[in-house]
């Protein structure tokens, strides 16, 4: 059965999903032909191969980042999916003197995200670049309204990613590689082949170096190729459109094309070539059905944390995630990938500024880009397609995440020394509210305690490529990050239909210790709760500076009455830059006309941020910029 486990890794308390090692499935689990084999000491690949071979297994290589202690074995005689765990095969491996444990991998579903069926910044122009001020000549560029919105197809002029402002600074993504973790990339596409990084690519679905998409009559495996074109399609070559970072490289990591996903495939994908890959882009996740609560398992979580701590030679890999396509019926804080503080969760808007009907809302979304959603099919995302073709119908938050990856590639060219946290800070400080609005008027723009505007749908706004590049050029790396376990309430509190229950944690934010946090980045409310109907439960966190974040909204399809949430790390970015000292509130209530009941069994608060002011070494270009506003708020608070 699936349960939640927490452990310490790299000095951080992590929670992830694990599966009990029982022979018979008790909760509908599926067991694959893959095994995680842990050795008693480090072994080389040849030793692992010999052990696998004499026991009828195939050695698929070491787990990313395991230093030769953990390997991925596969047994060809076992079906890819079965309902019972194969005890006999695990016992055979455990008889080997060097083998510590062997665990058959549970299979689970991961789905591609897509539809089912700017305010200009001041910048210095690079006059030596012949492309300065010139629009790309690619035939589909006029359809790429998200790159330059002139009002085509009923859009709002200048509501776009402001990429021309970055390109005019001579920044086009050079020397940056983005890995598209998906169903493959058509690396022979004429708009992609010269920007393809073969050394950083791999096929984990078929275990070979060639991540070409598997052919299907319905072009189902076009997803990764479409995402790749958004990032790095070539410029002025007469083919399709142009990528956000058209001089950057893309790597193909094919890992989404098998009947069931495993923890080992995900972990190896997210830990593949971490010093050759700068950005990992993921447009997939748990099923967006409004009732699933799921996230990364043990090995995958370790791979992500290792990536942000050690990847890019210590600067940290950037993981970009599509926030989800479940619409009003889902909440992306129930997706442990998009809601992770290690990833940058990206939502979408359509060409007139409103949210798409499939957009999920949650407090962990950092920013937004663009996708389709209007009735006119020409307002889709124009990009590369399979077999040298082009498309104008790429869609969903699947299309939004690669656009963000392209913008981050521009920032990394402008300043290759940016850390993974620098990218998040730059995103917060340069994203624009612009004309974004909630079509159903549910979520309004709100200002947090240090003057940063946020929206429950759009995060801190739409990415601005020109602004992020300009600020990246003069950026100074933010101070070290600490995590403070700010307090916990361990005794159960009932929730009833008659009113809210409010829990309070008063904290000094670890003042006087080595983990003191004075300037917030991410905040986690780790909660164990259950309810007679989980989908009717709503949760809110209010900071000492008065910022109220909805960390769980009503999910109409979620009928769960048994599992609830177990140590689930709900996360909010809405208090970014705030002072955490004081009293935090957790409010739990039911949004239902029917009588409901439940319990908050545990609530712990974890604060992540810096002890020192993050922006003290930076000089704002404008007194009205977000940077200037936050710096002044910090200075005023420090005087109190």
């Amino acid at each position: 059965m699936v349960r939640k486990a927490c452990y310490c890794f790299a000095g951080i308390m992590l929670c992830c999903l694990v599966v009990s090692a029982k022979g018979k499935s008790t909760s509908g689990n599926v067991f694959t032909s893959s095994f995680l084999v842990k050795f008693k000491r480090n072994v080389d690949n040849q030793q692992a191969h010999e052990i696998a071979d004499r026991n009828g297994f195939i050695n698929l290589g070491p787990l990313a980042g395991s230093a030769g202690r953990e390997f991925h074995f596969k047994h060809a005689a076992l079906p890819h999916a079965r309902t019972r765990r194969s005890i006999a095969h695990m016992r055979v491996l455990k008889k080997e003197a060097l083998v510590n444990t062997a665990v058959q991998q549970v299979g689970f579903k991961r789905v591609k995200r897509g539809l089912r069926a700017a305010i200009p910044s001041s910048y210095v122009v690079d006059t030596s670049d012949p492309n300065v001020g010139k629009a790309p000549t690619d035939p589909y560029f006029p359809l790429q309204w998200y790159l330059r919105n002139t009002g085509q197809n009923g859009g709002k002029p200048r509501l776009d990613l402001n990429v021309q402002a970055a390109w005019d600074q001579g920044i086009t993504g050079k020397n940056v590689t983005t890995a598209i973790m998906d169903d493959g990339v058509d690396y022979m596409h004429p708009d992609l082949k010269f920007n393809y990084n073969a050394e950083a690519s791999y096929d984990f679905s078929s275990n070979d170096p060639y991540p070409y998409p598997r052919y299907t009559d319905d072009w189902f495996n076009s997803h990764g190729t479409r995402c790749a074109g958004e990032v790095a399609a070539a410029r002025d070559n007469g083919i399709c459109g142009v990528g956000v970072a058209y001089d950057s490289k893309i790597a193909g990591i094919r890992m989404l094309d098998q009947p069931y996903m495993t923890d080992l495939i995900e972990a190896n994908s997210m830990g593949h070539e971490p010093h050759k890959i700068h950005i990992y882009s993921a447009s997939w996740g748990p099923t967006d059905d409004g009732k699933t609560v799921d996230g990364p398992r043990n090995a995958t979580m370790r791979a992500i944390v290792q990536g942000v701590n050690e990847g890019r030679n210590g600067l940290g890999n950037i993981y970009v995630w599509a926030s989800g396509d479940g619409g009003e019926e889902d909440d992306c804080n129930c997706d442990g990938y998009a809601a992770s503080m290690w990833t940058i969760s990206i939502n979408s808007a359509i060409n007139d500024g409103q949210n798409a009907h499939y957009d999920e809302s949650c407090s962990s979304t950092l920013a937004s880009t663009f996708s389709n959603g209007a009735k006119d099919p020409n307002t889709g995302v124009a990009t590369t397609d399979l077999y040298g073709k082009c498309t104008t119908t790429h869609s969903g938050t699947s299309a939004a995440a690669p656009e963000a990856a392209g913008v981050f590639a521009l920032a990394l060219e402008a300043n290759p020394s940016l850390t993974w946290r620098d990218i998040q800070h730059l995103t917060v400080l340069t994203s624009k509210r612009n004309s974004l609005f909630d079509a159903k008027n549910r979520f309004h723009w709100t200002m947090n305690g240090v003057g940063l505007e946020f929206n429950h749908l759009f995060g801190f706004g739409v990415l601005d490529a020109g602004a992020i590049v300009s600020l990246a050029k003069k950026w100074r790396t933010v101070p070290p990050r600490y995590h403070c376990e700010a307090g916990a309430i361990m005794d159960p509190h009932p929730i009833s239909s008659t009113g809210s229950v409010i829990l309070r944690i008063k904290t000094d934010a670890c003042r006087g210790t080595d983990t003191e946090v004075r300037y917030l980045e991410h905040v986690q409310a780790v909660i164990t709760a259950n309810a007679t109907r989980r989908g009717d439960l709503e949760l809110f966190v209010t900071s000492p500076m008065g910022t109220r974040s909805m960390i769980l909204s009503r999910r109409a399809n979620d009928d769960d009455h048994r599992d609830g949430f177990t140590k689930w790390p709900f996360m909010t970015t809405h208090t970014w830059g705030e002072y955490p000292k004081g009293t935090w509130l957790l409010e739990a209530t039911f949004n239902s006309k029917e009588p409901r009941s439940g319990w908050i069994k545990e609530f712990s608060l974890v604060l992540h941020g810096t002890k020192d002011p993050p922006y003290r070494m930076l000089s704002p270009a404008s007194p009205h910029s977000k940077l200037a506003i936050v710096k002044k708020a910090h200075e005023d608070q420090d005087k109190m």
Side-chain angles (χ1 to χ4, degrees):
M1 63 185 291
V2 179
R3 60 183 176 83
K4 199 80 172 174
C6 295
Y7 62 98
C8 187
F9 181 78
I12 305 292
M13 187 61 65
L14 302 175
C15 294
C16 61
L17 297 169
V18 296
V19 182
S20 62
K22 295 182 179 180
K24 185 176 181 180
S25 173
T26 58
S27 56
N29 286 334
V30 169
F31 299 99
T32 70
S33 55
S34 292
F35 292 74
L36 173 61
V37 181
K38 296 184 180 182
F39 289 91
K40 295 176 181 177
R41 59 173 174 81
N42 290 356
V43 300
D44 59 36
N45 202 48
Q46 181 58 35
Q47 288 175 294
H49 176 76
E50 292 171 357
I51 291 172
D53 189 55
R54 67 171 166 257
N55 290 289
F57 287 82
I58 301 169
N59 171 31
L60 298 181
L63 198 63
S66 69
R69 187 65 67 92
E70 299 175 345
F71 281 76
H72 182 185
F73 283 13
K74 190 177 183 71
H75 201 287
L78 282 174
H80 186 80
R82 50 182 280 165
T83 57
R84 294 180 65 90
R85 192 181 292 274
S86 179
I87 302 296
H89 288 86
M90 289 189 289
R91 285 175 177 168
V92 165
L93 289 170
K94 289 177 183 178
K95 289 180 180 178
E96 290 284 343
L98 287 176
V99 172
N100 184 32
T101 60
V103 180
Q104 190 173 6
Q105 293 296 286
V106 170
F108 44 87
K109 289 291 185 181
R110 292 292 177 259
V111 295
K112 305 167 193 177
R113 292 191 161 149
L115 278 178
R116 290 181 289 271
I119 301 174
S121 307
S122 60
Y123 55 88
V124 177
V125 173
D126 180 4
T127 56
S128 66
D129 188 338
N131 288 322
V132 166
K134 296 181 180 179
T137 60
D138 304 82
Y140 276 53
F141 179 72
L143 302 176
Q144 293 182 290
W145 57 267
Y146 53 93
L147 300 183
R148 188 179 66 176
N149 195 336
T150 61
Q152 61 267 58
N153 303 111
K156 189 172 182 63
R158 296 167 68 176
L159 176 61
D160 53 42
L161 295 173
N162 195 25
V163 293
Q164 189 68 52
W167 297 343
D168 284 354
Q169 297 175 68
I171 302 298
T172 54
K174 292 178 287 293
N175 302 314
V176 178
T177 294
T178 297
I180 306 298
M181 300 188 295
D182 213 286
D183 57 13
V185 169
D186 181 355
Y187 47 80
M188 293 186 288
H189 193 293
D191 215 13
L192 298 174
K193 64 181 181 181
F194 295 113
N195 285 340
Y196 178 64
N197 187 339
E199 290 185 358
S201 300
Y202 198 78
D203 187 332
F204 288 101
S205 292
S206 297
N207 299 295
D208 60 59
Y210 310 106
Y212 197 83
R214 177 176 57 87
Y215 176 81
T216 62
D217 287 335
D218 59 2
W219 286 30
F220 179 71
N221 291 317
S222 62
H223 198 252
T225 301
R226 295 178 175 188
C227 292
E230 292 180 87
V231 178
R235 174 176 174 149
D236 296 339
N237 63 350
I239 303 166
C240 297
V242 62
V244 173
Y246 56 78
D247 280 329
S248 68
K249 300 291 185 183
I250 48 104
I253 295 182
R254 182 169 174 259
M255 45 80 72
L256 206 58
D257 188 25
Q258 60 279 325
Y260 289 94
M261 182 62 71
T262 68
D263 192 19
L264 300 186
I265 291 177
E266 285 190 354
N268 278 324
S269 299
M270 294 180 207
H272 181 66
E273 297 290 2
H275 306 305
K276 294 180 181 178
I277 293 170
H278 301 79
I279 302 163
Y280 296 80
S281 180
S283 292
W284 50 268
T287 307
D288 291 324
D289 56 7
K291 57 186 178 182
T292 298
V293 178
D294 199 0
R297 269 70 170 172
N298 192 317
T300 301
M301 180 67 81
R302 283 190 294 147
I304 295 173
V305 175
Q306 189 157 348
V308 298
N309 280 296
E310 301 175 14
R312 285 199 304 132
N313 299 307
L315 295 173
N317 299 122
I318 292 96
Y319 294 90
V320 184
W321 224 276
S323 61
D325 289 352
E328 291 182 54
E329 297 178 338
D330 211 346
D331 186 300
C332 39
N333 251 349
C334 293
D335 174 346
Y337 301 86
S340 169
M341 60 188 174
W342 311 112
T343 68
I344 300 177
S345 178
I346 299 294
N347 210 349
S348 68
I350 65 174
N351 65 341
D352 64 358
Q354 65 182 298
N355 61 295
H357 64 83
Y358 48 76
D359 283 342
E360 296 181 30
S361 62
C362 67
S363 58
S364 57
T365 295
L366 198 64
S368 298
T369 56
F370 297 102
S371 189
N372 79 326
K375 292 180 180 179
D376 187 341
N378 291 319
T379 58
V381 171
T383 181
T384 50
D385 211 344
L386 291 179
Y387 319 122
K389 304 292 186 180
C390 315
T391 183
T392 60
T393 60
H394 192 33
S395 60
T397 54
S398 278
E403 291 171 21
V407 172
F408 299 148
L410 298 175
L412 289 181
E413 186 203 344
N415 184 347
S417 298
L418 296 173
T419 68
W420 70 278
R421 288 175 51 235
D422 291 335
I423 288 289
Q424 296 207 17
H425 279 271
L426 283 163
T427 297
V428 171
L429 293 176
T430 62
S431 295
K432 301 292 195 297
R433 173 176 175 173
N434 207 312
S435 305
L436 305 185
F437 66 99
D438 175 14
K440 295 192 174 180
N441 205 32
R442 297 165 301 155
F443 303 117
H444 302 282
W445 286 91
T446 306
M447 192 170 288
N448 77 3
V450 292
L452 292 172
E453 275 192 309
F454 66 89
N455 183 282
H456 200 62
L457 274 164
F458 303 115
F460 290 96
V462 66
L463 292 179
D464 184 316
I468 200 171
V469 163
S470 296
L471 189 53
K473 287 181 174 180
K474 61 182 181 181
W475 189 258
R476 297 293 181 268
T477 295
V478 291
R481 164 190 173 98
Y482 301 103
H483 77 284
C484 167
E485 297 180 10
I489 296 174
M490 307 304 288
D491 51 318
H493 287 72
I495 319 166
S496 70
S497 295
T498 57
S500 302
V501 58
I502 297 178
L503 307 183
R504 293 174 171 82
I505 290 180
K506 187 174 183 180
T507 179
D508 63 0
C510 299
R511 183 178 181 180
T513 71
D514 292 339
T515 60
E516 180 178 359
V517 174
R518 297 188 64 225
Y519 306 91
L520 283 174
E521 294 174 7
H522 309 88
V523 173
Q524 289 177 304
V526 183
I527 292 173
T528 298
N530 63 13
T532 52
R533 190 178 189 278
R534 185 174 64 185
D536 291 333
L537 182 63
E538 292 187 337
L539 300 172
F540 302 84
V541 165
T542 303
S543 74
M545 297 188 79
T547 301
R548 188 171 187 252
S549 297
M550 175 185 279
I551 60 172
L552 176 65
S553 59
R554 182 177 185 271
R555 301 202 306 162
N557 296 339
D558 188 353
D559 292 324
D560 172 77
H561 64 278
R562 183 185 65 180
D563 294 334
F565 298 98
T566 303
K567 296 187 183 298
W568 190 258
F570 294 96
M571 194 269 281
T572 181
T573 62
H574 296 168
T575 55
W576 199 279
E578 289 192 0
Y579 288 80
K581 184 179 178 181
T583 301
W584 289 78
L585 307 180
L586 172 68
E587 178 184 354
T589 188
F590 285 112
N591 182 351
S592 174
K593 296 179 181 179
E594 301 296 325
R596 308 295 185 202
S597 63
W599 292 84
I600 298 292
K601 296 182 177 180
E602 294 180 14
F603 163 43
S604 59
L605 182 70
V606 186
L607 310 172
H608 303 269
T610 64
K611 181 178 180 180
D612 299 318
Y615 313 128
R616 63 181 179 182
M617 303 294 290
L618 292 169
S619 298
S622 165
H624 305 295
S625 67
K626 285 186 180 182
L627 175 59
I629 292 169
V630 177
K631 277 197 71 172
K632 187 177 187 306
H634 287 169
E635 291 166 359
D636 291 344
Q637 184 69 26
D638 289 343
K639 293 175 183 177
M640 296 175 60

